[in-house]
Amino acid sequence: MSDLIDDEAPGGPPPNSPEYTVSEISGAVKRTVEGAFSHVRVRGEVGRVSLPRSGHIYLDLKDDRNVLASVIWKGTAQRLATRPEEGMEVIATGRLTTFGGQSRYQMVIEDIAPAGVGALMAMLEKRKAALAAEGLFAAERKRALPYLPRVIGVVTSPSGAVIRDILHRLGDRFPRHVLIWPVAVQGAACASEVARAIQGFNALPEGGAIPRPDLLIVARGGGSLEDLWGFNEEIVVRAAAESDIPLISAVGHETDTTLIDYAADRRAPTPTAAAEMAVPVRLDLIAALDGLEARRSAALGRLLTQRRQRLADLARALPRPETLLSFAAQRLDRAADRLPAALSVRVARERLRLSEAASVLRPAALRRRVADERRRAEDRAARIAPALDRLVRQRRADVLALSRRGRPELLDRRTVSGQEALARLEARLRAALASDFDRRRARLEALERMRAGLSYQDTLRRGFAVIRSGGQVVTTRASAEQAGALEIEFRDGRLAIGGRPPRRARKAEEPPEQGSLL
């Protein structure tokens, strides 16, 4: 019998234990873990955080000894009020499950929140330092607020007391056109809506159907750190820093501080204070204008009084008009008395000159002069024929003598030699003439350039003009005032102004016209 029954090996598995596949074991473990930990709350520090393009968030929750892999699915991540960041202490709510493909377990997080105010403050300080390092809070980025904006854009909740306080304060100080962009001022949607509102106001075109604001106010009432957390989000801070429109941050009360306060151009302690910063007091401006108008009127009255007194003082120092004219009138009377006698003397002198000239031109004297010239011409005509005959005979005799002495071969040699010499002389003459012509042309061109540089025509082409009166160039204002007519020469011609156009001055080389004597 002992040979037919196998004894159980000591320490081994029972012979009838079932066999499991790997998937069966993974499924059993998954059911066990999910059944025992279907709803858990875990407190820990956020370690590695991964943000793939799928929209899910993969992170580690750790303490001083262990690490718990966790995942936040895309739909849950979009609803989170606070995004997990590395180093942040949080309380995560969800369930445990397993991932059989890697033989690991993980936590599926359905909600995550900072573990108390201390964690939020630590995360806030870390984010503040990172954004400050980028220069988003630098003072040189901040712009001055417009003194009196035409349109004011307000980003806030349309149903709260904040917008009523802002509108009421603006109406008391200086009514302006207000555009309200309604947003959620707390909760998960707060940060994205506020950022889109700031960007939307900046995207409005100038002169469009909806007027573009000159100033923005982002406002919210007071609350806890968790309530104001949306204004600490990075997208809100970046939108405020990149705004081309000056922005006032009025989030919370005076003791509340959010990151948008550092990125804004001005921070107001309350929404009402933001409205006071936005516009001046209209009554104060009217009173200031009234005061300035009173000062202007008083200053103008004093100025007129001083100028009137100064004019009276100067008038007393001036001589009387009749005194100024008396000497000129006296000189005119003396000149008028001397004028008839001077005219008589001038007429007598000219009559005497005319008589002397007429005595030379008497007909008898002219006839004698003509007769003498005719006799001289006839005498020369009678003598010129014999003289021409003698000259011709002499020239003929000279030619015959030369022809008898000259032999043809000598004449040919002399002719050839003369032609060669003439050719050499002609070549030298041509070279000398060309050289002299080039030298004279270069000198003429230099003189022409000098003449063009010194000519006033170039000055006229640069926009100047020459003013003449009676052929003389006018160079002073007094001469222009005394002239009856002026001629202005421009680059493209001359223009006559006043009276008859002045006669063009004669050129220096033209002789004056001679008067005829009768």
Side-chain angles (χ1 to χ4, degrees), residues 79-226:
R79 297 192 300 270
L80 291 179
T82 304
R83 290 267 179 170
E85 298 180 6
E86 187 174 352
M88 180 180 176
E89 187 176 0
V90 296
I91 297 177
T93 303
R95 56 187 175 85
L96 293 184
T97 185
T98 62
F99 182 52
Q102 296 182 356
S103 298
R104 56 181 290 187
Y105 68 95
Q106 64 184 8
M107 180 178 180
V108 179
I109 298 175
E110 298 174 352
D111 188 24
I112 190 169
V117 177
L120 282 178
M121 292 301 297
M123 183 175 65
L124 181 63
E125 291 299 325
K126 180 180 178 182
R127 183 176 296 170
K128 177 183 176 182
L131 295 176
E134 295 184 25
L136 299 183
F137 304 154
E140 55 269 16
R141 292 176 59 97
K142 302 185 183 300
R143 290 148 300 186
L145 303 182
Y147 181 72
L148 185 60
R150 296 179 296 104
V151 180
I152 300 175
V154 180
V155 179
T156 188
S157 172
S159 59
V162 171
I163 187 60
R164 292 195 297 271
D165 292 343
I166 292 176
L167 294 176
H168 182 267
R169 196 58 176 164
L170 290 176
D172 289 344
R173 292 174 66 85
F174 207 121
R176 297 280 85 187
H177 185 65
V178 179
L179 295 178
I180 302 173
W181 195 300
V183 296
V185 292
Q186 70 181 58
C190 172
S192 60
E193 291 186 6
V194 172
R196 283 197 299 270
I198 296 174
Q199 295 167 354
F201 273 132
N202 279 273
L204 290 176
E206 294 282 354
I210 301 177
R212 177 185 171 93
D214 302 317
L215 179 67
L216 296 182
I217 298 176
V218 179
R220 186 204 186 282
S224 63
L225 181 61
E226 292 82 357

Side-chain angles (χ1 to χ4, degrees), residues 313-365:
D313 295 340
L314 293 175
R316 286 194 297 270
L318 292 174
R320 294 187 300 172
E322 55 272 14
T323 304
L324 294 176
L325 297 177
S326 59
F327 295 104
Q330 186 176 3
R331 288 197 300 272
L332 179 61
D333 293 340
R334 293 180 60 186
D337 293 339
R338 295 167 56 189
L339 181 60
L343 288 175
S344 300
V345 173
R346 181 63 180 270
V347 169
R349 186 184 301 119
E350 295 299 329
R351 183 179 293 110
L352 178 59
R353 289 179 56 191
L354 181 60
S355 299
E356 293 175 352
S359 63
V360 178
L361 298 177
R362 286 178 298 176

